[in-house]
Amino acid sequence: MKKTILTIIGVLFLGFVSCSDEFTENPRINVEDLDTFFLEEDNVESAVIGIYDLMQYNYAVDWSSVFLVKLLPGDDANAAGGNADDQSQLQAIDDYTDVSSSNASITSVWDLFYRTISLSNLVINNISDSDLSNKDRALAEAKFMRAWCYFELTTMFGDVPLRLTVPEKVEDFGIVKSSRADIYTQIELDLTAAIADLPGKGASDSFRACKETAEALMGKVLVFQEKYSESIPFFEAVINNPAIDLEENPADVWSINHEFGKESLFEIGYISTTARDWGNFAWGGRNESNLHIQLMGPRGDGIFDLTGTDLINGWGFNLPTRKLITAFESAGDTKRKAATIMTEEELINAGGAVDATKATGGVIWDYEGAIRIKYATKSEDTSEDGVKELNYSTNFRLFRYAEVLLLAAEAYNKAGGQDIAARTELNKVRVRAGLLPDNTSTGTALFDVIVNEKFLELAHEGQRFWDLVRWGRAATELSGTGYTSKNDLFPIPITEIDKNPELTIADQNPGY
């Protein structure tokens, strides 16, 4: 069942967007003073739910969502759209061309994560010394969210300002960048606190972070630091938990009937009951529905005829690469492939068609022979009320058990002498996909298998590029695409450098 996340932030939090023109004002809640607001348990609960509301917005805001910005540098998806100029800021990220410190989508990601961090800080700073009965749970959730946001930020931007309080006056806003190592230290502190006080999976609202979510994220954070042996106990705590398991079939993960299912560790929920139409849809606002599904649907205008499928035409962004298609076919991975992509031949066999003559210049931009099935425009995920394309309820599965198993396999393999354990976790994912288990690979060869398995399992989920960077494989895997090492990090937005008095152009990431 869907859980509606109330849109309360407009009155709850006046918008600390990393550096807002309003940052010198204390936030007001229904004109109630902060000194009294956090004395009420219901108000604390509302503030915590507000953090989830911001996260919902971060991953689905029009053309600048975290989902798309993280995904596009990888080699599993192309930006696509109508042509090379359609949403040029996204095309630049996809093609590694003209990525600048004024890129609107990259700036949006930075600002939105810092806004979420600011609300988390507001909760933490105001209730840490209280004696409210829901204090421990609220602190645990706020610290988990802060950890999540900083992990995303340092993965994409490297060294970033570490804000742990809400600025109260002008001189408080200036802050230098902290090293990635220091960011990781704070993330680990926050996750340690979250693990101690979050309830277990299934003990609370399904959209909320649970103890296992924090354990899994801690393991991932440690793997990203190459602290493989330290990460293993956190993965094992999740793996040994009977409340968590893989869905039986790859397609089940993405079904509306399995939202917040046993494989889900952190999922952002959306709804299709707000009857959005062209008159009441708030562009750039919070609509509770997931517009990105429509953005990523196969383009209409006679280009993709979807007859014989349960799909609806969309606006044509985020098409699979030929490299991904080939990887599925080379692996004989038919079951998982069917839950991820559909080739042109398969579409035609189903009764549909592809007509490039209807596209601009007779060429379907960034199309390499397939459309997406994962996060597809499925008719069952929208509503008859309002306009279908504005009412998708598809949830973003941000962190799931299959990724934990593959991270654990990597940790066992890299820690040394534990390849049997690595293959055990790897094979759970392979067998679910319909592939034969790997019972022989060891060492570097086994790691290569894990890398390829992750490419197939997590396609179109925004992990691929950042894994290639940390593995030192980006230059090889992205050869010929325009990628250079400067693309390992996004540029710090020029708006942050202009407004933060402790940052200068010298603080910009290399190459920008």
Side-chain angles (χ1 to χ4, degrees), residues 146-423:
R146 184 167 69 180
W148 179 279
C149 293
Y150 272 124
F151 184 48
E152 292 276 55
L153 282 168
T154 196
T155 297
M156 289 185 278
F157 296 94
D159 299 346
V160 298
L162 180 60
R163 296 189 180 278
L164 301 177
T165 60
V166 177
E168 295 183 358
K169 49 189 182 297
V170 173
E171 52 267 32
D172 293 339
F173 184 79
I175 184 172
V176 300
K177 292 196 302 182
S178 291
S179 68
R180 179 177 276 177
D182 287 344
I183 301 294
Y184 279 138
T185 296
Q186 183 60 48
I187 291 170
E188 290 178 36
L189 287 171
D190 281 345
L191 290 177
T192 297
I195 290 168
D197 288 318
L198 285 174
K201 183 175 175 63
S204 184
D205 294 321
S206 55
F207 70 88
R208 302 175 81 152
C210 61
K211 178 185 181 73
E212 294 80 12
T213 312
E215 289 172 331
L217 183 59
M218 179 73 92
K220 184 173 180 176
V221 168
L222 292 169
V223 165
F224 269 56
Q225 298 174 77
E226 300 184 356
K227 297 178 179 178
Y228 301 112
S229 296
E230 293 178 42
S231 73
I232 289 172
F234 293 99
F235 293 135
E236 289 180 341
V238 178
I239 291 168
N240 294 330
N241 190 315
I244 300 168
D245 202 353
L246 294 174
E247 299 287 356
E248 279 69 25
N249 298 295
D252 290 343
V253 178
W254 314 105
S255 168
I256 193 172
N257 298 317
H258 291 265
E259 290 175 338
F260 300 113
K262 61 185 177 181
E263 185 166 337
S264 177
L265 288 167
F266 192 40
E267 187 166 326
I268 302 294
Y270 299 90
I271 59 174
S272 61
T273 57
T274 50
R276 297 297 179 186
D277 58 34
W278 300 114
N280 66 23
F281 190 84
W283 293 98
R286 298 182 184 89
N287 295 285
E288 305 292 345
S289 57
N290 191 346
L291 179 66
H292 271 71
I293 304 305
Q294 174 64 17
L295 301 185
M296 301 187 297
R299 201 167 183 86
D301 303 324
I303 298 172
F304 289 100
D305 176 353
L306 302 176
T307 301
T309 73
D310 66 346
L311 305 182
I312 303 172
N313 287 113
W315 298 338
F317 284 82
N318 187 13
L319 287 170
T321 60
R322 167 50 58 182
K323 183 174 183 177
L324 179 63
I325 301 167
T326 300
F328 275 117
E329 293 175 346
S330 297
D333 192 345
T334 57
K335 186 177 179 181
R336 183 167 46 189
K337 174 190 169 190
T340 309
I341 62 174
M342 177 183 288
T343 65
E344 182 172 317
E345 179 183 8
E346 290 164 343
L347 175 59
I348 293 170
N349 289 341
V354 180
D355 188 352
T357 65
K358 302 293 180 63
T360 303
V363 176
I364 305 172
W365 175 245
D366 267 351
Y367 175 65
E368 297 182 0
I371 59 176
R372 279 179 314 95
I373 297 300
K374 184 184 290 186
Y375 290 132
T377 41
K378 298 177 182 176
S379 56
E380 66 179 359
D381 288 342
T382 186
S383 170
E384 295 295 336
D385 297 324
V387 176
K388 279 185 174 292
E389 52 262 51
L390 300 180
N391 287 282
Y392 281 101
S393 65
T394 310
N395 291 356
F396 278 139
R397 284 74 162 169
L398 299 186
F399 202 12
R400 57 192 180 91
Y401 186 50
E403 183 182 356
V404 171
L405 294 174
L406 295 173
L407 284 165
E410 177 183 350
Y412 283 125
N413 172 255
K414 290 292 189 178
Q418 300 184 71
D419 282 347
I420 293 175
R423 291 196 301 268

